[in-house]
Amino acid sequence: MSAVPPRLAVVAALHEELSDWLAQLPDRRCERVAGRDVWVATFRGQSIVVTLSGIGKVAAATTATLLIQRFGVQRIVFTGVAGGLGPGVAVGDVVVARRLLQHDMNAWPLVPRHEVPGYGRAHFETDTALSDTLAWACEQALLDMGLPTQRLHQGLIISGDQFVSDTAAAQALQRDLPDALAVEMEGAAFAQVCHDHGVPLAVVRTISDRADDDAHTDFSQFLRDFASPYSQAMLNRWFT
Ligand code: ADE
């Protein structure tokens, strides 16, 4: 008898980041919980739960807790878009998080800048095995989409309750956190909740903008035209 894979949650912040893949899910059952639609389904033999977190760290933390405590998920993969920060992290590239950090956490002088009080740490790691699989799926997806020159990056993603659309602010983040590859608004909250519950997490972000003065227009256009096809290609590879 083959082992049943642990129940997996697939999450994005916004409908545009998941719509194509969600639409192809057969026999999904929808539950409305805590203001969210949560779809429960079986996909290619795996028990899955799919939802949209909404934007920001509190919405993300609520969603992660709900998925773990109410829906019993044992692994989570988060997909969506982010602003590129690191040099060479271009629009259309993909970043798989190996570590996440809240760039707006600051309880100094109680604890060092970025450290989460009570945890003795600023960084939360993603799960190595899940992230390895996700990185492989992303590489295949870029080829499937006919985008062999777009790059896959792996490393630090930072999160905060701020849409960064200001070249000076992006430069300040790069100065403070030179390892940061991309900035978004949910991943580090998922990482902290998953750490609390011992649930493996993987996070992937497609770069929609460079977090600069043009970020709001670049983001909207990318979200409308590309975010969903990227997630669909990556998830279809993930589930092969
Ligand atoms: N998600 C996509 N682009 C972003 C940006 N520039 N800032 C924060 N979150 C984002």
Side-chain angles (χ1 to χ4, degrees), residues 17 80-84 103 158 160 162-166 183-186 205-212 215-216 219:
E17 294 171 307
V81 299
H103 67 77
I158 60 175
Q162 188 184 3
F163 183 82
V164 183
S165 187
D166 175 342
V183 59
E184 38 84 312
M185 302 179 70
E186 297 83 24
R205 294 289 190 167
T206 307
I207 301 304
S208 55
D209 60 86
R210 281 286 305 172
D212 56 12
H216 54 298
F219 166 82

Side-chain angles (χ1 to χ4, degrees), residues 23 31 72 83-84 98 110 117 159 165 169 182 194 207 210 220 237:
E31 283 181 42
R98 294 294 175 162
L110 304 178
S159 314
S165 187
C194 286
I207 301 304
R210 281 286 305 172
S220 302
R237 279 293 186 168

